């Protein structure tokens, strides 16, 4: 007897009552609508974040740009460093040593205006005890000199340190206003030739120190 097999189509009986019309689109569900809104919100937040970052970067770059009246050319900071291993720093000249180094460093806005400066005086001894004794004597002399001029003993943010067998003295001049007729001797500043004015430009400061025997180098070299 021949056996017959019958197969029912997979979509048999579906959508009999409401068959889909060709080309018709199903309406989005509530879940799909929420997903679309969520994606849109994320995109808007991302765009806002990018705008904030761009604005901050623009502000930072703008703040770091200074001009010297010849826009758009920017002013470049220049530096001057002058050294000597023979000059005695008179503010602490009561201690003696054959090995010493005096370094004066300055930063300028361009070459015309002094921004800040520092002085470092290093005295080398054969032992820690000698360096310790030199620190006590030189610190007392320096403080006495400041008090005689009416300054606080913390003037110039001065630091006296003993490193191994070395006495290291550091003075800082954070602004050009700290350098005047009263304080000029702390930076070994002489008057310009032919007038009673202190140095004001990088070339004038360099000339001042080289005439005293310093060896100077500058970023303008």
């Amino acid at each position: 007897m021949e056996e017959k097999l019958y197969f029912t189509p997979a979509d048999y009986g579906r959508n009999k009552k409401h068959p889909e019309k060709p080309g018709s689109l199903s309406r989005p569900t509530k879940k799909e609508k929420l997903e679309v809104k969520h994606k849109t919100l994320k995109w808007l937040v991302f765009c806002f974040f990018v705008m904030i970052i761009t604005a901050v970067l623009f502000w930072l770059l703008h703040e770091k740009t200074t001009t010297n009246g010849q826009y758009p050319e920017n002013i470049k900071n220049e530096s001057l460093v002058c050294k000597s291993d023979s000059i005695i720093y008179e503010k602490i000249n009561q201690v003696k040593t054959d090995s010493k180094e005096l370094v004066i460093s300055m930063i300028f806005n361009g070459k015309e205006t002094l921004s800040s400066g520092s002085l470092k005086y290093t005295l080398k001894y054969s032992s820690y005890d000698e360096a310790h004794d030199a620190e006590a004597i030189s610190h007392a002399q320096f403080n006495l000199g400041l008090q005689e001029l009416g300054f606080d003993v913390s003037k110039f943010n001065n630091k006296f340190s003993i490193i191994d067998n070395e006495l290291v003295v550091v003075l800082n001049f954070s602004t050009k206003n700290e350098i005047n007729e009263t304080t000029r001797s702390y930076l070994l500043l002489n008057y310009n030739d032919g007038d009673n004015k202190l140095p004001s430009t990088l070339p004038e400061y360099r000339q001042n120190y080289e005439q005293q025997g310093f060896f100077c180098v500058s970023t303008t070299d």
Side-chain angles (χ1 to χ4, degrees):
M1 177 183 288
E2 183 178 355
E3 186 176 354
K4 295 183 179 181
L5 299 176
Y6 296 90
F7 297 93
T8 304
D11 58 347
Y12 180 78
R14 292 184 180 179
N15 299 327
K16 291 260 182 161
K17 294 182 179 180
H18 303 286
E20 291 186 359
K21 295 181 181 180
S24 64
L25 299 174
S26 59
R27 294 183 178 179
T29 64
K30 185 176 181 180
K31 182 179 180 181
E32 290 173 336
K33 290 181 179 179
L34 289 175
E35 289 179 352
V36 171
K37 289 183 178 179
H38 183 65
K39 290 180 179 179
T40 302
L41 181 60
K42 287 175 64 178
W43 174 251
L44 291 175
V45 171
F46 175 76
C47 290
F48 181 75
F49 181 77
V50 171
M51 291 174 62
I52 292 296
I53 295 297
T54 303
V56 170
L57 290 175
F58 177 81
W59 181 79
L60 290 174
L61 292 173
H62 179 72
E63 286 295 310
K64 290 183 178 181
T65 302
T66 49
T67 59
N68 61 355
Q70 298 179 356
Y71 183 86
E73 182 180 357
N74 294 336
I75 291 179
K76 176 185 176 183
N77 285 343
E78 304 289 358
S79 64
L80 174 68
V81 179
C82 297
K83 298 181 180 181
S84 173
D85 58 5
S86 60
I87 296 176
I88 297 175
Y89 188 52
E90 293 298 326
K91 300 300 181 181
I92 48 176
N93 61 4
Q94 293 180 2
V95 291
K96 306 298 181 181
T97 177
D98 293 330
S99 181
K100 56 187 173 295
E101 183 183 58
L102 182 56
V103 181
I104 297 176
S105 304
M106 294 182 166
I107 302 296
F108 295 80
N109 293 327
K111 293 187 294 185
E112 303 301 319
T113 306
L114 177 65
S115 175
S116 61
S118 67
L119 179 147
K120 182 179 179 182
Y121 192 38
T122 303
L123 304 170
K124 301 178 182 180
Y125 294 92
S126 58
S127 68
Y128 175 86
D129 290 339
E130 287 187 13
H132 184 272
D133 292 342
E135 191 278 335
I137 296 171
S138 61
H139 207 162
Q141 180 189 3
F142 187 82
N143 287 346
L144 182 61
L146 289 175
Q147 291 172 350
E148 289 177 349
L149 292 174
F151 295 134
D152 187 86
V153 294
S154 62
K155 182 68 173 177
F156 310 123
N157 193 27
N158 63 85
K159 303 293 182 184
F160 285 69
S161 306
I162 302 175
I163 303 175
D164 295 329
N165 298 337
E166 297 180 351
L167 167 60
V168 180
V169 181
V170 177
L171 311 182
N172 290 293
F173 301 80
S174 57
T175 66
K176 65 177 183 178
N177 295 328
E178 288 187 290
I179 303 173
N180 51 47
E181 297 293 331
T182 305
T183 63
R184 66 184 181 88
S185 59
Y186 284 88
L187 265 181
L188 284 73
L189 295 178
N190 297 324
Y191 292 115
N192 290 331
D193 293 337
D195 57 37
N196 290 326
K197 293 182 180 180
L198 293 174
S200 59
T201 66
L202 188 154
E204 289 176 353
Y205 274 97
R206 183 170 191 166
Q207 181 182 21
N208 169 85
Y209 292 119
E210 289 181 338
Q211 287 179 345
Q212 297 180 56
F214 283 88
F215 172 76
C216 298
V217 294
S218 170
T219 52
T220 61
D221 293 343

